[in-house]
Amino acid sequence: MTRIVDARLRVLRAPVNDGIAMSFSPLRDRSIVLVEVSTEDGLTGRGESWINYPPWAAEERVATLRDGVFPLLLGEDATRISALHRRLCARLDPLGRQWGAPGPIRQAISGADLALWDLAGLRAGAAVSTLAGGRVRDRIPVYASSLGPEDVGEKAHECVEAGHTAVKVKLGFGRAKDERNLAQAREAVGPGVTLYADANQAWDVAEAVAMAPLLRDAGVEWIEEPVRGNPLAGLEELHRRTGLPIATGENLYGAGEFRDFAASPAIAVLQPDLAKTGGLTEALAVCALAEAHGKSVLPHLYGGAVAFAATLQLAAMAEAVAGIEYDVRDNPLRDPLLAGPPVPERGMLDLPGLPGLGVRLDEQAVAAVTETEVAAPSHT
Ligand SMILES: [Mg+2]
């Protein structure tokens, strides 16, 4: 028994230079919620909760963590990660259903779950990936994410220069622009580099079917979230009519929601996001599902330093992980917050092994981007 004695959060925020466009809404700054859970033995674990959208997500997450998650953690045994995870879901999911916001609930739980795993590693004096069944690898391929909708050729060329061997292009900005961007990307990287594409749910099934010849001509290996609302039946229809391999999962919450997608022949790649779907606990369960159905996992990763670190630990411990999404856009909340950030070389990343989530945060850098700090309500 190692009692949880404190829980806090910080909203981290920093402006970006390159005004990242998505098919649904631009991302004008980078922001994450850092969750900090402390135990009676004097250790503090860190987790990350995803708040990229909507722009006011931080306000919601502060309230959900402070008033929903933290009171359920205080006084509990931090070593019982699975049991605590289940307790959080059992108590908070019903509120999420009534609210119509099950996702934000799981995004909040993700931050707590990752902090508990970090604590487990810190307590053991070992990287999380060396606990339980141990490591399955020490390096992992990455793909460069995400290019577009402007200057795709130039950026793709930069990625190849930096040694990347796989690149993802953003689509869903209208057929003419999408066609131009796919052609520019393929021309810039040549035939030897793998191309993926992400539509961020921009199309209906008919529009996605109409895009299939362009995707095939550019040699796109899989299309991510091609259909609005991500309905499995729609994805299956698209796959039936075109044969396109499909990737999805960044908007699925918990291994339970992945079950039918993992079993479907339409879905080639599962993409759980550790800071959204429920931390390492759910991501490991998704990897087990993927392995059972012979599917690959390429975790979604578009966040900060702690989500990056946790995803690398998952890659080190789960056989099903075939690669990692590597954000090549301006990200002041990833590498600048890490002491010695892992950097890919020739499309591969060495998986770090420091105690906890494998990395060390630069505390001064974290303090410099801290917008708000909030403590748990006092525990009685
Ligand atoms: Mg995506």
Side-chain angles (χ1 to χ4, degrees), residues 54-78:
W56 56 89
E59 284 85 345
E60 171 276 316
R61 199 59 42 78
V62 168
T64 300
L65 283 162
R66 183 194 56 212
D67 300 331
V69 174
F70 290 169
L72 294 171
L73 291 178
L74 293 176
E76 296 296 321
D77 182 357

Side-chain angles (χ1 to χ4, degrees), residues 146 168 170 198-200 224-225 250-251 271 300 325:
S146 281
K168 190 166 84 181
K170 288 186 166 303
D198 185 355
N200 286 118
E224 176 173 331
E225 288 198 324
E250 70 180 83
N251 292 301
Q271 301 172 301
H300 178 257
E325 177 168 17

Side-chain angles (χ1 to χ4, degrees), residues 30-32 48 50 52 301-305 307-308 327 331 333-334:
R30 297 285 190 148
S31 57
I32 61 170
E48 179 176 327
W50 179 97
N52 287 2
L301 179 57
Y302 221 71
F308 181 39
D327 180 1
N331 189 344
L333 299 187
R334 192 189 60 198

Side-chain angles (χ1 to χ4, degrees), residues 11-372:
V11 178
L12 310 186
R13 191 182 299 279
V16 291
N17 300 322
D18 55 0
I20 300 157
M22 305 273 178
S23 64
F24 50 92
S25 174
L27 194 59
R28 300 190 199 288
D29 56 21
R30 297 285 190 148
S31 57
I32 61 170
V33 171
L34 197 63
V35 175
E36 301 178 313
V37 177
S38 301
T39 44
E40 59 187 341
D41 52 2
L43 296 174
T44 296
R46 255 95 166 247
E48 179 176 327
S49 180
W50 179 97
I51 52 165
N52 287 2
Y53 296 99
W56 56 89
E59 284 85 345
E60 171 276 316
R61 199 59 42 78
V62 168
T64 300
L65 283 162
R66 183 194 56 212
D67 300 331
V69 174
F70 290 169
L72 294 171
L73 291 178
L74 293 176
E76 296 296 321
D77 182 357
T79 67
R80 301 193 171 196
I81 302 174
S82 297
L84 259 177
H85 186 97
R86 277 168 201 273
R87 174 179 153 87
L88 292 172
C89 294
R91 293 286 291 273
L92 298 173
D93 279 352
L95 301 178
R97 281 194 289 274
Q98 291 300 317
W99 182 6
I105 291 281
R106 290 299 182 106
Q107 291 160 14
I109 291 172
S110 299
D113 181 88
L114 292 175
L116 292 172
W117 278 98
D118 190 27
L119 274 169
L122 294 173
R123 201 180 306 116
V128 159
S129 53
T130 66
L131 307 178
R135 288 198 162 208
V136 296
R137 61 172 71 85
D138 295 308
R139 309 182 74 207
I140 190 86
V142 302
Y143 72 86
S145 173
S146 281
L147 314 187
E150 305 307 328
D151 307 322
V152 168
E154 193 185 338
K155 294 282 181 221
H157 184 70
E158 282 172 23
C159 287
V160 174
E161 291 281 288
H164 284 289
T165 54
V167 167
K168 190 166 84 181
V169 179
K170 288 186 166 303
L171 301 178
F173 300 94
R175 189 181 173 93
K177 202 178 238 186
D178 289 350
E179 184 169 13
R180 181 201 71 190
N181 284 344
L182 284 171
Q184 278 185 6
R186 178 51 79 198
E187 196 191 323
V189 302
V193 167
T194 303
L195 268 193
Y196 306 129
D198 185 355
N200 286 118
Q201 305 194 14
W203 304 320
D204 61 25
V205 173
E207 288 166 333
V209 169
M211 286 299 294
L214 300 185
L215 297 168
R216 257 197 305 271
D217 286 351
V220 169
E221 203 152 288
W222 44 253
I223 177 71
E224 176 173 331
E225 288 198 324
V227 178
R228 201 166 300 132
N230 202 43
L232 182 55
L235 298 176
E236 288 178 330
E237 185 186 342
L238 173 65
H239 182 70
R240 229 174 11 248
R241 290 171 63 182
T242 65
L244 283 176
I246 294 168
T248 189
E250 70 180 83
N251 292 301
L252 296 177
Y253 290 99
E257 286 199 356
F258 277 87
R259 194 180 303 128
D260 292 345
F261 289 84
S264 170
I267 308 300
V269 175
L270 300 176
Q271 301 172 301
D273 184 314
L274 276 70
K276 296 180 78 176
T277 201
L280 207 42
T281 300
E282 295 290 347
L284 284 165
V286 172
C287 287
L289 261 179
E291 205 171 344
H293 290 283
K295 303 297 169 71
S296 297
V297 174
L298 282 115
H300 178 257
L301 179 57
Y302 221 71
V306 175
F308 181 39
T311 304
L312 298 183
Q313 292 304 300
L314 177 75
M317 66 203 296
E319 190 65 51
V321 178
I324 294 292
E325 177 168 17
Y326 187 78
D327 180 1
V328 294
R329 309 296 287 260
D330 182 30
N331 189 344
L333 299 187
R334 192 189 60 198
D335 294 2
L337 302 194
L338 291 169
V343 175
E345 271 177 46
R346 293 196 201 99
M348 299 286 289
L349 204 51
D350 288 334
L351 299 171
L354 293 177
L357 292 177
V359 298
R360 202 165 25 245
L361 292 178
D362 177 334
E363 301 300 337
Q364 280 187 345
V366 172
V369 291
T370 297
E371 180 183 75
T372 319

